[in-house]
Amino acid sequence: MINKQLLLPTLLASLVLAGCSSSPSKRYSIDDDIAPDAPISVDHIEDATPQYEPYSLGGNSNYTLRGESYTIIKEPKGFKQEGQASWYGKKFHGHLTSNGEIYDMYSMTAAHKELPIPSYVKVTNKDNGKTTVVRVNDRGPFHPGRIIDLSYAAALKLDVIRTGTANVAIEVISVDRPTQTHKQEALPKFVVQVASSKHQDRVETLAQDLSQKLSVKSYVNSASDIHRVFLGPFNDYMLTQKALEQVKELGYTSAFIKSH
């Protein structure tokens, strides 16, 4: 009988190469990474919100790639680094990241060689002064001099798409583990923002339809005459990711995950 406890770490370790833009593989439908054919605006996509998350089972073991050994940083608080940022997009969209999540080029995520997964990182483009916050959930990049691979959305916000790479400074944003007394209410929750509109009746109808089709909770939040449809909240990021993929398959390609 197969020992599943031994099999799981082996399987997850194999995902280290799955999402990194610097590790070509025949598993991808296109050879060279490119931007989406019809890119959507990322103005509505908010920075990742730093919060306490336990480290993932996958993607957090020390590893060796192309003769180089990489040691995961166990205590990243205060970690800072400078170097070049690159980005990855359509080629890897929909494929597994190093910890088994689905890479979404419209989420505010990134890849780093040694930071624990997940980590939250403030990225500053030293060439133009723009900043953003991303959630590290992947491994890479493995080109000399490059320290972080940004999702398409994050790279667009920092104006890295136009230049291809940029000189950046990164800084880990650490969030302490909640105390036992407040642990239940302090655990992270996530929602999927599906769409927004000035027409409240349409938004409410959409929320009801999606709730029935996907068998998930939904609600409408209204502010400044704008009505937004949300799915959730979810306590589990993987369940949130699943809901995001389902709603995108229904045609709502600009949907994205945010903290609740």
Side-chain angles (χ1 to χ4, degrees):
M1 185 171 83
I2 296 176
N3 187 326
K4 293 183 178 179
Q5 291 182 327
L6 294 177
L7 179 60
L8 181 59
T10 303
L11 175 61
L12 292 173
S14 69
L15 297 175
V16 166
L17 305 183
C20 126
S21 63
S22 307
S23 301
S25 171
K26 294 180 180 178
R27 65 194 294 269
Y28 302 111
S29 58
I30 54 178
D31 293 329
D32 298 316
D33 201 6
I34 57 176
D37 297 329
I40 65 172
S41 170
V42 300
D43 293 341
H44 67 295
I45 300 178
E46 301 171 4
D47 285 359
T49 303
Q51 57 196 292
Y52 172 77
E53 288 187 71
Y55 293 151
S56 304
L57 290 176
N60 280 314
S61 299
N62 299 337
Y63 62 100
T64 300
L65 180 66
R66 299 174 185 170
E68 293 287 334
S69 296
Y70 299 92
T71 301
I72 305 304
I73 302 169
K74 302 300 183 183
E75 299 293 338
K77 190 171 184 176
F79 178 86
K80 296 181 180 180
Q81 191 178 25
E82 294 188 3
Q84 279 199 326
S86 47
W87 62 275
Y88 59 137
K90 184 177 179 180
K91 177 178 179 179
F92 303 92
H93 185 69
H95 290 277
L96 294 178
T97 61
S98 296
N99 68 338
E101 295 176 1
I102 303 297
Y103 173 61
D104 178 2
M105 61 182 169
Y106 291 114
S107 293
M108 296 297 288
T109 60
H112 190 276
K113 291 186 282 289
E114 296 162 327
L115 283 175
I117 294 175
S119 295
Y120 289 88
V121 175
K122 178 182 178 181
V123 184
T124 301
N125 186 337
K126 297 174 63 178
D127 299 329
N128 58 24
K130 294 183 177 181
T131 65
T132 195
V133 177
V134 296
R135 178 177 178 269
V136 174
N137 68 344
D138 207 357
R139 291 287 169 231
F142 297 104
H143 287 288
R146 297 184 188 178
I147 62 171
I148 194 167
D149 246 352
L150 301 168
S151 67
Y152 171 79
L156 195 58
K157 282 180 176 287
L158 292 176
D159 198 24
V160 179
I161 301 296
R162 181 177 58 83
T163 56
T165 59
N167 297 306
V168 298
I170 67 174
E171 179 180 357
V172 167
I173 303 175
S174 297
V175 179
D176 293 334
R177 183 187 185 96
T179 61
Q180 189 67 30
T181 306
H182 300 95
K183 187 174 181 180
Q184 188 62 34
E185 58 219 90
L187 285 175
K189 293 181 182 291
F190 307 96
V191 295
V192 175
Q193 181 172 325
V194 180
S196 60
S197 172
K198 293 184 178 180
H199 304 284
Q200 185 173 2
D201 55 340
R202 298 179 187 176
V203 166
E204 290 177 345
T205 299
L206 175 59
Q208 293 175 359
D209 289 345
L210 290 175
S211 181
Q212 293 175 355
K213 288 180 180 178
L214 303 179
S215 298
V216 298
K217 293 180 180 179
S218 68
Y219 66 95
V220 174
N221 179 277
S222 301
S224 303
D225 295 325
I226 298 296
H227 310 282
R228 297 176 174 85
V229 181
F230 292 95
L231 301 181
F234 303 92
N235 292 320
D236 188 294
Y237 192 85
M238 298 294 279
L239 291 178
T240 317
Q241 188 84 47
K242 179 181 178 181
L244 176 66
E245 293 302 313
Q246 289 176 327
V247 82
K248 287 194 172 189
E249 289 177 0
L250 293 176
Y252 300 96
T253 57
S254 63
F256 63 97
I257 294 174
K258 63 181 294 186
S259 299
H260 178 59

